[in-house]
Amino acid sequence: MSYLTKNIQLLSKSLKSSVEDLMKESEERLKESQEFYEQFLKNLIRFFEKRISDKTIEFCKKFLGTTEFNFIAVDGTSLKDAGNGYVTFFGGAFGVRGKIELRKDKLLTKDYRDYFDENVCMVAYVPVPYSELIRVEGKEGEVEGTLDDEYRIDLSNIHNKVMQLAEIYLAYREVVRNSNLKLLLLDLSLSGTQASVSHSTEIFSRKVKMKGVKLSSGSKLRSSDFLVVSSHPKNQILDVPSDRKYTLVYRIIGILEDNPNGISLSELKKKIEWPEPEIEEILKKMEEKYKAIIRESGKIKLINPNSWSDCIKLFEEQCERIFIKKDPRSLRIEKDGKLVWLSSFDIDFLISIGLRRLIELAWERKILVVGICKDTSASYLINNYIPILALYKVYDVDISIIPKILWTDRLLLERLSQTVDEIKAPWSTIEYDSCFMTLHFERTTEGKPKFEGDKPVVKGVKGYIVSPERVFLKSNVQIFCNPKKNVESHVFVVERLYYPEYDWPSDEKIEIYAGKAGLVTTRIFKDNNVENPVQDLVMTLLFYLCRNAIPESLGYPDPLFKADKIAKQYLKMVRKIIDSGQALQLLDPLLRSFRKVRSEYERMRSEANE
């Protein structure tokens, strides 16, 4: 037996052993999970009837103002293709529009079938020479000349950023243009997207290449504008942004925006329950570091009171260049008399503006915004939300069992739905604030929860970073199940916005002291006995929008499935265009790389041997 054969046999044996160990551990964890469900988790599962109740119809009229409304489902796709001499970035978003009529025991839908209309199809195709790729990524001057072409490409994520921007812009544009739009379905995590593009003012100031460009009001984009954008979305009823220490600056900016003619320090103190030295420290930083405010005649005001509207206009103009006009130079901007490549941070900044404005428009116009995440491996429910509320004595549950149950929220809930007879779709967990994604409790060296006095030690990311509370609510849902045929859909994560008056203010709340992050105050839906009419409406719409006619789309909204199929079909066409361009370039033998030539000969030799 050769050395190579021995190694292959050892690898096979090792893999088999690992799989057997995993299966054995999974079975043990499933037993613990079933016990956890019986003892506690079943109280957090809400079951829904397969009909439209009068109560849901009445709430729909009250909340959305109508039972007949338009909807759009948006999904995106992206591609990065390494050619000879340049790399091609493609990103796009596609929408499926329709109309919903909510009746008793029936939901009528109409698909407008305008799939490739310019208003529901946002795509960008940008070829970038390798020589420019480092500059696109905002890494100019760093390790320049030390990376080969292949590694430079791997550094780049522009195509995914452009796809996200296309999704947000398509949704935003539809909200602005369609006054009867009341339901927006997105194939993304709302809170995750916002978190991924929300960099600090300092990072944006260093990395954004658009800094210094002229805005619509005549002023130039500067650090203070990044600060203003981060202070949105803004909603007084939801108390957003919060007045925690690290978000207090955003609350102050919101107050100054509402008082464009300025406000005195004494008036500002009345609106913010913080000691004067703390407020003065923040104002000094805003004045000296960010150049965001001025003080004159005893009043404090923003240097550019039109900053937010200027940034919205910048978002609209740049997206129109990229997706509507299809400007081949859309990822470049004129600055100081020359063209400069935008970095991934520029795209993040644009996404941040668009998403924050989209949220505000949804609040203003009572639009139901729902994000759906597939194949998530998160465990925020079992590892963050439940333990923290248990430590605050909201829940009476022994959290020492949690490390023994199945690893992720989705895996846990899917296996329970397969093995516990009473769990029948459609069902959902109770909703919880997305800020719990960034909250965790500290442990002692023995692995037990850490306390300071009678309070558990809860911290944010890096000790002080906590996602904005009272903006997004999360839940895990399963829409379809057929016990007779032993077929069921996956468990998805559904996110929606908080809505003023319906979700907040509320007596059902909790105050969590998160160390440096300050006091986090948020809504809780303690168990399945707490009424949640907005979630009831969301689940009703999702249930009736799932056709369950195609195996790969079970329990998944049909409009989003169609948008996904359209995106994939378009991507196929784009691949052919890109391949044809590469083939044309390869007619010049000098442009064919050594690896390309070698792989072609290896392929031909392999085919001949077969």
Side-chain angles (χ1 to χ4, degrees):
M1 185 183 296
S2 70
Y3 175 74
L4 179 61
T5 304
K6 280 184 179 180
N7 272 312
I8 291 174
Q9 287 181 346
L10 287 170
L11 175 61
S12 175
K13 186 178 179 180
S14 176
L15 288 172
K16 184 179 179 181
S17 175
S18 298
V19 171
E20 288 174 350
D21 289 345
L22 179 62
M23 291 177 66
K24 183 179 178 181
E25 185 181 359
S26 296
E27 289 303 314
E28 292 172 354
R29 285 178 174 269
L30 178 59
K31 292 176 183 177
E32 296 285 355
S33 299
Q34 290 169 337
E35 184 179 340
F36 181 62
Y37 174 81
E38 290 297 330
Q39 290 178 356
F40 171 73
L41 191 59
K42 64 182 181 181
N43 300 316
L44 305 190
I45 306 292
R46 301 188 70 213
F47 297 97
F48 299 86
E49 296 181 357
K50 297 180 181 180
R51 67 183 187 89
I52 303 173
S53 66
D54 292 335
K55 191 175 181 180
T56 300
I57 292 174
E58 286 303 313
F59 178 75
C60 184
K61 287 180 183 177
K62 179 183 177 183
F63 176 43
L64 301 181
T66 179
T67 55
E68 294 183 29
F69 50 87
N70 292 336
F71 72 86
I72 185 169
V74 178
D75 197 2
T77 187
S78 63
L79 174 68
K80 176 180 64 180
D81 185 84
N84 291 281
Y86 64 90
V87 58
T88 300
F89 299 104
F90 167 78
F94 304 85
V96 170
R97 295 192 293 193
K99 185 177 181 180
I100 287 175
E101 184 178 345
L102 201 64
R103 296 181 182 178
K104 187 174 181 180
D105 294 329
K106 186 184 291 185
L107 186 141
L108 303 177
T109 62
K110 179 182 178 182
D111 186 342
Y112 289 149
R113 298 182 179 275
D114 52 351
Y115 304 141
F116 290 101
D117 183 271
E118 63 178 4
N119 294 317
V120 289
C121 180
M122 301 293 164
V123 297
Y125 171 86
V126 184
V128 181
Y130 288 133
S131 60
E132 300 286 344
L133 195 60
I134 293 296
R135 287 195 283 273
V136 175
E137 282 301 289
K139 299 179 182 291
E140 189 172 14
E142 297 178 22
V143 297
E144 184 71 42
T146 63
L147 305 177
D148 61 21
D149 287 343
E150 184 178 1
Y151 190 65
R152 289 188 187 190
I153 295 166
D154 289 341
L155 286 173
S156 180
N157 196 33
I158 288 282
H159 59 304
N160 289 327
K161 297 292 185 182
V162 172
M163 177 192 72
Q164 284 186 323
L165 181 61
E167 290 176 316
I168 298 301
Y169 181 58
L170 174 54
Y172 170 83
R173 198 163 184 261
E174 190 68 15
V175 167
V176 170
R177 293 159 62 96
N178 189 341
S179 60
N180 195 38
L181 184 78
K182 291 296 180 181
L183 175 62
L184 173 59
L185 293 172
L186 296 167
D187 182 46
L188 52 78
S189 165
L190 296 169
S191 60
T193 300
Q194 177 165 309
S196 70
V197 299
S198 298
H199 305 292
S200 68
T201 301
E202 287 76 13
I203 290 177
F204 272 142
S205 296
R206 292 198 316 268
K207 299 286 188 178
V208 171
K209 299 297 181 67
M210 289 188 293
K211 185 181 179 182
V213 300
K214 199 170 184 179
L215 299 172
S216 58
S217 66
S219 64
K220 291 185 176 182
L221 184 67
R222 51 192 175 188
S223 297
S224 59
D225 297 305
F226 303 136
L227 197 65
V228 169
V229 168
S230 298
S231 71
H232 289 262
K234 185 175 68 176
N235 190 292
Q236 290 185 355
I237 298 175
L238 293 174
D239 203 24
V240 172
S242 71
D243 60 356
R244 288 186 284 110
K245 181 176 180 179
Y246 285 92
T247 57
L248 185 58
V249 62
Y250 304 140
R251 172 64 72 88
I252 292 173
I253 286 174
I255 294 171
L256 295 178
E257 284 182 324
D258 295 336
N259 296 270
N261 295 323
I263 185 172
S264 66
L265 180 59
S266 59
E267 290 174 320
L268 183 62
K269 283 167 55 183
K270 291 177 183 177
K271 296 176 181 289
I272 299 175
E273 296 178 3
W274 273 81
E276 185 174 333
E278 299 273 4
I279 297 175
E280 274 292 354
E281 182 184 345
I282 291 173
L283 291 174
K284 184 179 179 181
K285 192 174 182 180
M286 292 173 67
E287 186 176 16
E288 297 178 0
K289 183 175 181 178
Y290 300 120
K291 305 292 190 295
I293 61 171
I294 55 173
R295 306 190 199 212
E296 56 183 20
S297 304
K299 291 195 172 183
I300 307 160
K301 61 182 179 180
L302 291 171
I303 289 178
N304 180 12
N306 300 313
S307 177
W308 178 228
S309 58
D310 280 348
C311 289
I312 294 170
K313 188 67 176 176
L314 176 67
F315 163 76
E316 293 173 340
E317 289 173 350
Q318 290 301 316
C319 288
E320 187 174 347
R321 281 186 66 208
I322 297 170
F323 302 113
I324 305 300
K325 295 179 179 178
K326 304 289 193 297
D327 186 345
R329 295 182 171 183
S330 57
L331 286 186
R332 283 178 280 184
I333 191 167
E334 190 170 337
K335 182 179 175 182
D336 299 328
K338 60 182 180 180
L339 288 174
V340 178
W341 283 102
L342 300 184
S343 72
S344 58
F345 290 95
D346 289 86
I347 307 299
D348 281 350
F349 180 56
L350 293 174
I351 295 170
S352 185
I353 297 168
L355 179 57
R356 293 167 192 272
R357 182 54 184 156
L358 178 65
I359 293 168
E360 291 183 340
L361 288 172
W363 284 333
E364 291 170 13
R365 303 184 185 185
K366 299 286 181 69
I367 298 172
L368 200 54
V369 180
V370 179
I372 298 181
C373 308
K374 310 183 293 288
D375 303 324
T376 174
S377 59
S379 55
Y380 302 127
L381 177 67
I382 58 176
N383 284 334
N384 298 47
Y385 175 75
I386 292 174
I388 290 174
L389 264 63
L391 293 173
Y392 269 85
K393 304 190 184 308
V394 175
Y395 291 143
D396 182 15
V397 58
D398 180 9
I399 62 173
S400 64
I401 194 177
I402 290 178
K404 303 174 186 176
I405 64 177
L406 290 164
W407 300 275
T408 70
D409 294 342
R410 182 175 70 87
L411 182 60
L412 170 68
L413 294 167
E414 284 184 354
R415 291 301 302 273
L416 287 175
S417 70
Q418 294 165 1
T419 57
V420 179
D421 292 336
E422 70 179 50
I423 302 180
K424 295 179 181 178
W427 58 264
S428 169
T429 62
I430 51 95
E431 292 183 312
Y432 59 96
D433 198 306
S434 65
C435 73
F436 282 94
M437 292 166 46
T438 50
L439 289 172
H440 67 278
F441 66 94
E442 294 282 288
R443 296 178 183 270
T444 63
T445 53
E446 294 82 19
K448 296 181 180 179
K450 191 175 181 180
F451 285 83
E452 288 182 355
D454 61 343
K455 295 288 184 182
V457 178
V458 177
K459 293 184 179 180
V461 177
K462 296 182 180 179
Y464 64 92
I465 298 174
V466 176
S467 295
E469 63 269 41
R470 302 183 300 278
V471 179
F472 304 110
L473 285 162
K474 301 171 76 76
S475 60
N476 300 80
V477 310
Q478 187 181 56
I479 302 296
F480 176 79
C481 178
N482 188 334
K484 293 181 180 178
K485 295 184 178 181
N486 197 26
V487 176
E488 62 181 25
S489 64
H490 285 291
V491 171
F492 301 125
V493 173
V494 171
E495 280 189 312
R496 68 170 178 88
L497 297 181
Y498 268 82
Y499 289 95
E501 298 173 7
Y502 300 103
D503 296 312
W504 191 267
S506 172
D507 293 331
E508 299 284 336
K509 64 182 180 180
I510 185 172
E511 294 181 339
I512 299 169
Y513 179 67
K516 292 181 181 179
L519 197 64
V520 178
T521 306
T522 184
R523 171 75 189 267
I524 58 170
F525 297 90
K526 183 178 179 181
D527 53 38
N528 51 22
N529 293 316
V530 178
E531 289 193 359
N532 189 344
V534 181
Q535 187 185 27
D536 294 345
L537 178 59
V538 170
M539 286 297 292
T540 297
L541 294 172
L542 291 180
F543 176 75
Y544 279 92
L545 286 173
C546 293
R547 302 299 185 200
N548 303 317
I550 303 172
E552 63 265 35
S553 69
L554 293 178
Y556 192 67
D558 190 57
L560 271 179
F561 177 70
K562 287 180 179 177
D564 175 69
K565 287 297 180 186
I566 294 164
K568 289 175 179 174
Q569 181 62 33
Y570 198 96
L571 186 60
K572 285 182 181 179
M573 295 188 289
V574 168
R575 283 185 184 276
K576 291 178 181 179
I577 295 171
I578 292 173
D579 289 345
S580 65
Q582 300 291 359
L584 183 65
Q585 193 181 31
L586 287 175
L587 291 176
D588 184 349
L590 295 178
L591 293 176
R592 299 170 71 189
S593 67
F594 173 76
R595 288 183 180 177
K596 194 82 173 178
V597 173
R598 184 180 63 183
S599 63
E600 286 179 4
Y601 277 108
E602 287 173 345
R603 177 182 56 79
M604 290 188 289
R605 189 179 297 112
S606 176
E607 290 175 354
N609 291 335
E610 290 176 359

